[in-house]
Amino acid sequence: MDKNHEMWNGLSMDLDKHDLLCEALPQAFGDVFLSQEDRPEKMDYFNAVTADIHGIRPAELIEAQKNGQKVIGSFCIHVPEEVVWAANGISTGLCSGSQFWVPGGEKKLPTATCPLIKASLGARFDRTCPFFRIADLFVGETTCDGKKKAWEILAEDAPMYIMDIPQMKRKEDFEKWEKEINLYIDRLEDLTGNKVTAENLHDAIVMINNKRRAMQRLYDFRKLDNVPISGRDTLLITQISFFDDPVRFTQKVNELCDELDQRVKENVSVFKKGTKRILLTGTPLSIPNWKLHQIIETNGGAVVGEELCTGIRYIENPVDETKGDLDTEVKNLAKRYLGSINCACFTPNKSRIDDIIRLYHEYNADGVIDINLKFCNIYDTEGYFVEKRLQEENIPCIGIETDYTDEDAEQLKTRIGAFIEML
Ligand code: BJ8
């Protein structure tokens, strides 16, 4: 048994089933990423992380657990990772983006549930993802009905903690969210045995802000006429940002950006002149969901930005770094984590549409694709306002509904190809 298999065995994973996933990944990765021409050399690090995605980082997490640290997994960018790091825990993302895990989720959930939720439960119940075996605590939230009920089922098998997210953004909602963050801190202190203080929380805020700043630096290259990195590569980096060590990740993104600076000086573009620039908006694209980027970028388009949780919503708006007491630091977190994220779970959610229009101009896009994961009711319904406002602004837009299967790939190619052609 090799080292990885020994580790997975120790996590009581279903090795035979998991091997099937490991066998499929290199082919998919090769098709989507390695087939691209003229990729930046500094993508090497992110390639290596992806190639051993269930090996390198899980081994690090297990090592940290042996040294007394706790691993906390979450499913939503509303859950503030800073408090986990402040309690000397390790934060990791758990959202799942592969069809491989969906049937396992369907054993527990109605078929008419979004694939993100089904895959997340399938990964746990099927014992085919090491991150879902390692986490000491699973942090869910009350963003949509599907998730709320799914957490109750997940709690039959996994240690769950739920954060109750307000669904409006009034003064009293910010106060409530502050209280929720304080309750979360209590739970983390219990779990880790460490106190969250103004100092360690401030350090964690700066560390995660640095990660967001590095990613913003990367995303800024996508605003240029000559785009030196593809949308696919940027998406992969963003997906990795949720589970990699934040300090190392920040350093690697900055190294890549140094290379991209050089490319800009040499006018290098990974896209041919005249390639149409697409802004995506909608539901998140969790790893390894690369389907839409692959279709767009092999059919005459360049994805230059994502108004998604796996995109700009995660990286913009760093937390206020003004030093204060613990209450002030928590207030600053609440402000950012409630005020700046425009999930469709909020009512009203006009600021999301304002953001789409702002980003369309900032990233010099030619058109917008509004993506909706099948059975996500809130984004689907909000699509009404997205399309209406964009039409008023004369911004070309199409709505796409899809899931994690490849069954609709041909149909999507035709629709997206036709949309790009008319831009
Ligand atoms: S802040 S988008 S990460 S909840 S796609 S599970 S909403 S049915 S993922 Fe999300 Fe947080 Fe919002 Fe972002 Fe439900 Fe819709 Fe599925 Fe969703």
Side-chain angles (χ1 to χ4, degrees):
M1 217 183 249
D2 65 24
K3 248 173 127 192
N4 275 351
H5 278 85
E6 260 174 45
M7 172 174 71
W8 298 328
N9 197 32
L11 293 169
S12 306
M13 288 175 59
D14 182 336
L15 296 186
D16 292 341
K17 201 165 192 183
H18 183 246
D19 279 350
L20 298 174
L21 178 64
C22 296
E23 278 161 25
L25 193 70
Q27 171 80 38
F29 188 72
D31 290 350
V32 178
F33 293 97
L34 304 180
S35 60
Q36 299 176 92
E37 280 170 27
D38 209 12
R39 290 179 84 212
E41 280 175 22
K42 292 289 181 186
M43 280 306 295
D44 279 6
Y45 171 74
F46 304 99
N47 291 343
V49 170
T50 316
D52 196 14
I53 193 162
H54 282 180
I56 299 173
R57 188 62 179 154
E60 288 178 352
L61 297 180
I62 292 169
E63 200 47 40
Q65 282 175 324
K66 283 184 193 149
N67 295 323
Q69 279 186 284
K70 300 289 181 193
V71 175
I72 290 92
S74 55
F75 301 86
C76 173
I77 64 163
H78 275 290
V79 175
E81 60 197 287
E82 289 86 344
V83 288
V84 172
W85 297 105
N88 196 29
I90 299 179
S91 167
T92 191
L94 288 176
C95 277
S96 310
S98 168
Q99 177 61 23
F100 182 81
W101 291 302
V102 168
E106 284 178 342
K107 284 186 208 147
K108 307 274 178 187
L109 293 161
T111 315
T113 303
C114 96
L116 190 148
I117 300 176
K118 287 190 285 199
S120 298
L121 260 61
R124 171 71 191 192
F125 285 105
D126 277 355
R127 295 182 288 114
T128 45
C129 174
F131 293 97
F132 278 80
R133 307 300 307 163
I134 290 170
D136 295 292
L137 187 67
F138 292 60
V139 184
E141 20 49 56
T142 54
T143 40
C144 68
D145 289 352
K147 275 184 165 179
K148 272 188 279 199
K149 290 289 120 184
W151 304 147
E152 293 174 27
I153 297 173
L154 191 53
E156 290 192 330
D157 195 50
M160 289 295 303
Y161 180 80
I162 310 293
M163 293 189 83
D164 185 12
I165 295 192
Q167 315 233 307
M168 294 177 84
K169 295 186 182 180
R170 302 159 305 178
K171 188 171 157 281
E172 52 271 40
D173 297 310
F174 282 90
E175 286 163 8
K176 178 183 159 41
W177 188 234
E178 250 176 80
K179 282 191 196 136
E180 277 296 317
I181 295 177
N182 277 316
L183 288 172
Y184 184 36
I185 289 176
D186 291 347
R187 180 72 185 88
L188 290 170
E189 287 180 339
D190 266 3
L191 180 73
T192 61
N194 300 317
K195 269 261 155 281
V196 173
T197 64
E199 288 71 31
N200 60 27
L201 185 52
H202 186 263
D203 290 348
I205 286 173
V206 173
M207 177 176 77
I208 300 303
N209 276 352
N210 285 341
K211 172 165 91 163
R212 295 192 213 279
R213 281 190 276 263
M215 290 172 78
Q216 185 66 63
R217 187 179 165 206
L218 171 67
Y219 274 54
D220 283 344
F221 288 105
R222 308 169 82 189
K223 298 174 181 171
L224 303 173
D225 283 345
N226 287 325
V227 186
I229 185 161
S230 68
R232 275 169 278 184
D233 281 335
T234 321
L235 172 69
L236 181 69
I237 295 166
T238 310
Q239 290 170 334
I240 290 172
S241 73
F242 292 103
F243 60 87
D244 200 7
D245 174 80
V247 173
R248 177 179 58 205
F249 174 85
T250 302
Q251 188 198 329
K252 294 294 175 187
V253 173
N254 276 321
E255 284 172 14
L256 169 68
C257 290
D258 293 341
E259 183 186 352
L260 297 184
D261 272 336
Q262 193 51 39
R263 286 186 154 213
V264 170
K265 281 188 198 136
E266 292 159 7
N267 281 326
V268 174
S269 174
V270 290
F271 300 110
K272 285 200 202 92
K273 256 210 155 13
T275 303
K276 297 299 177 189
R277 303 167 65 101
I278 302 295
L279 175 74
L280 293 183
T281 181
T283 47
L285 301 172
S286 308
I287 198 161
N289 185 2
W290 306 313
K291 179 165 122 180
L292 275 171
H293 281 64
Q294 166 76 343
I295 290 176
I296 294 167
E297 296 197 335
T298 51
N299 283 278
V303 182
V304 292
E306 298 88 0
E307 191 281 317
L308 306 177
C309 290
T310 46
I312 294 162
R313 281 187 220 153
Y314 181 61
I315 65 170
E316 282 192 340
N317 302 304
V319 179
D320 185 347
E321 287 181 16
T322 318
K323 267 194 166 173
D325 57 13
L326 187 57
D327 283 349
T328 313
E329 305 279 347
V330 169
K331 210 182 257 310
N332 289 342
L333 279 179
K335 211 167 136 204
R336 193 252 167 213
Y337 277 89
L338 190 62
S340 313
I341 303 170
N342 300 312
C343 179
C345 69
F346 291 102
T347 184
N349 197 29
K350 193 178 155 289
S351 43
R352 171 167 168 233
I353 325 280
D354 294 341
D355 253 1
I356 299 170
I357 294 165
R358 170 180 66 86
L359 296 168
Y360 170 81
H361 293 296
E362 242 178 76
Y363 285 76
N364 292 311
D366 296 301
V368 174
I369 300 184
D370 182 18
I371 47 173
N372 192 58
L373 280 174
K374 230 180 200 162
F375 305 119
C376 178
N377 204 13
I378 49 178
Y379 276 88
D380 200 9
T381 308
E382 195 160 276
Y384 169 79
F385 289 115
V386 174
E387 287 175 33
K388 192 170 162 204
R389 274 285 304 282
L390 294 192
Q391 217 165 31
E392 283 163 14
E393 301 280 333
N394 284 324
I395 296 175
C397 173
I398 50 159
I400 294 278
E401 184 167 77
T402 186
D403 56 16
Y404 289 171
T405 67
D406 277 329
E407 279 161 23
D408 58 355
E410 285 310 311
Q411 193 205 341
L412 286 177
K413 274 182 207 162
T414 313
R415 280 198 66 204
I416 290 172
F419 176 69
I420 290 172
E421 218 159 87
M422 69 148 245
L423 290 175

